[in-house]
């Protein structure tokens, strides 16, 4: 039996309950991993509230790091005793779990468990955004990009990675303190959207041209302003709904604003194969090991304090990455 956090109905943080659950042996293509640290992400809130559909009861969480305890038939890239980390299907809010091995990667010795748990889902998200989710004209050194929630877990990784790629990242955040954090992590400019019209400020920064791409995990509250930040043929890349889902819109607005492109991305489309997952992880491991990207863990909560962690996340009181710790 292992201690786990489970929800039996959708709702607020109070629905996250401590339970004891059995954990069995891995089947074909599976491993059992004993967690040393667990990542907390805003997508966990979507599963808790029911915005993202899931069968109940559910153990939330899609990110963790630990030690491989058992390996099922057909798994060749991991062995018992390996240090490992993953972004994967829901189920990480627990001491140990059996899960598909395809998204679990061997963790380099140079990266500790806390960092591994904090960076996989967020770092792989930053990887596919900056390396794969590109405007039709591509991105070249010196280009401006707009990244919302730049002081969050994905945002602080993206600030540093964009700087390493030579991009001029314009970050938005909801306070002066968060803007300062984004700038300290490599953003070229930071806009406090609580005080400024971010669309007008982006136009000012870019000399009226606009940006080639907007990376937006906020959703409803930033959608219209984001479209106004794009230059002709620019790309609106939506990858989250922190303020709520984007409302339906008439496609004609895309033509009126400059023949824009819109895409809604999800990480696990990019991680559809073992090979693609490993290639993305290798890219992330390399940029972290080089020191070009440092993983900022702003908060640590005990697994049993997960309700408090979710409240802090939803109240925008977190910066960088948040992890759940185990005794």
């Amino acid at each position: 039996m292992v201690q786990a956090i489970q929800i039996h109905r959708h709702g607020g943080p109070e629905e996250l309950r401590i339970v004891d659950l059995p954990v069995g042996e891995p089947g074909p293509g599976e491993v059992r991993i004993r967690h040393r640290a667990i990542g907390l992400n805003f997508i966990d809130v979507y599963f808790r509230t029911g915005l993202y559909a899931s069968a109940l009861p559910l153990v939330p969480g899609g990110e963790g790091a630990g030690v491989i305890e058992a390996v099922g038939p057909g798994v060749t890239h991991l062995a018992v005793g390996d240090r490992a980390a993953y972004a994967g299907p829901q189920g990480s809010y627990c001491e140990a779990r059996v899960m598909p091995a395809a998204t679990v990667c061997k963790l380099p010795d140079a990266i500790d468990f806390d960092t591994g748990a904090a960076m996989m889902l967020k770092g792989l998200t930053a990887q596919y955004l900056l390396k794969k989710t590109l405007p039709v004209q591509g991105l070249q050194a010196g280009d401006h990009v707009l990244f919302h929630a730049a002081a969050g877990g994905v945002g602080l990784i993206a600030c540093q990675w964009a700087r390493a790629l030579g991009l001029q990242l314009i970050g938005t955040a909801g306070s002066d303190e968060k803007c300062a954090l984004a700038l300290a992590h490599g953003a070229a400019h930071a806009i406090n959207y609580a005080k400024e019209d971010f669309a007008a400020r982006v136009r000012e920064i870019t000399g009226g041209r606009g940006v080639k791409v907007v990376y937006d995990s906020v959703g409803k509250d930033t959608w219209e302003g984001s479209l106004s930040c794009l230059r002709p043929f620019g790309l609106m890349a939506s990858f989250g709904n922190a303020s709520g889902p984007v409302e339906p819109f008439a496609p004609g607005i895309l033509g009126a604003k400059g023949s824009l492109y819109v895409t809604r991305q999800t990480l696990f489309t990019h991680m559809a194969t073992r090979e693609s997952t490993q290639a993305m992880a290798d890219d992330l491991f390399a940029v972290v090991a080089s020191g070009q990207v440092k993983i900022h863990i702003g908060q640590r909560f005990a697994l049993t304090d997960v309700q408090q962690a979710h409240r802090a996340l939803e109240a925008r009181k977190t910066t960088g990455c948040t992890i759940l710790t185990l005794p």
Side-chain angles (χ1 to χ4, degrees):
M1 303 292 286
V2 298
Q3 192 173 73
I5 305 298
Q6 193 175 62
I7 61 171
H8 287 81
R9 62 181 181 181
H10 295 125
E14 68 279 359
E15 298 300 334
L16 296 160
R17 307 293 176 85
I18 302 170
V19 298
D20 290 320
L21 295 176
V23 58
E25 296 299 317
E30 294 181 331
V31 295
R32 186 173 72 236
I33 184 169
R34 175 73 53 173
H35 289 133
R36 297 293 181 85
I38 299 158
L40 183 77
N41 296 280
F42 214 96
I43 192 173
D44 304 348
V45 174
Y46 302 158
F47 279 102
R48 192 202 74 220
T49 62
L51 178 63
Y52 286 2
S54 60
L56 298 178
L58 172 73
V59 175
E63 185 177 44
V67 177
I68 301 298
E69 286 191 330
V71 174
V75 177
T76 59
H77 69 286
L78 294 166
V80 173
D82 280 349
R83 303 170 69 256
Y86 67 86
Q90 293 289 291
S92 70
Y93 286 12
C94 60
E95 293 174 321
R97 68 182 293 196
V98 171
M99 64 177 296
T103 65
V104 183
C105 299
K106 192 172 180 180
L107 188 64
D109 291 340
I111 300 175
D112 62 42
F113 288 119
D114 283 8
T115 301
M119 77 177 191
M120 291 298 286
L121 190 145
K122 293 169 278 287
L124 293 176
T125 297
Q127 196 276 346
Y128 85 70
L129 290 172
L130 293 173
K131 295 293 192 72
K132 298 182 176 184
T133 310
L134 303 175
V136 66
Q137 298 169 332
L139 287 175
Q140 290 81 40
D143 282 344
H144 287 94
V145 303
L146 177 63
F147 207 102
H148 290 300
V154 177
L156 291 184
I157 294 172
C159 285
Q160 298 172 78
W161 211 331
R163 178 175 59 186
L165 294 170
L167 301 174
Q168 299 290 304
L169 185 144
I170 305 169
T172 71
S175 71
D176 290 342
E177 294 76 15
K178 288 186 175 184
C179 285
L181 191 60
L183 290 169
H185 282 75
H189 305 272
I191 303 168
N192 181 347
Y193 58 74
K195 293 182 176 180
E196 294 186 89
D197 178 338
F198 72 83
R201 183 77 178 106
V202 166
R203 289 287 173 180
E204 181 183 339
I205 291 168
T206 61
R209 295 186 301 275
V211 297
K212 284 186 174 180
V213 59
V214 176
Y215 297 112
D216 189 349
S217 62
V218 177
K220 181 177 67 174
D221 289 354
T222 50
W223 181 260
E224 289 190 15
S226 293
L227 293 181
S228 297
C229 292
L230 288 164
R231 64 175 59 183
F233 308 110
L235 174 65
M236 176 65 187
S238 172
F239 67 102
N241 319 280
S243 67
V246 175
E247 296 177 355
F249 65 95
I253 191 68
L254 303 177
K257 287 184 175 291
S259 300
L260 304 179
Y261 292 80
V262 171
T263 182
R264 178 58 166 91
Q265 297 284 307
T266 61
L267 172 61
F268 293 106
T269 307
H270 292 275
M271 296 174 62
T273 68
R274 168 75 206 133
E275 294 74 19
S276 63
T277 299
Q278 191 63 57
M280 292 169 67
D282 288 345
D283 197 14
L284 174 62
F285 293 154
V287 78
V288 171
S290 73
Q292 290 177 300
V293 170
K294 293 180 172 61
I295 305 302
H296 175 86
I297 301 175
Q299 301 75 214
R300 288 175 167 85
F301 295 88
L303 177 62
T304 51
D305 291 331
V306 67
Q307 291 186 7
Q308 181 184 347
H310 269 237
R311 291 189 180 99
L313 190 65
E314 290 183 279
R316 307 292 195 274
K317 293 181 179 179
T318 63
T319 58
C321 301
T322 303
I323 62 169
L324 304 174
T325 60
L326 297 154

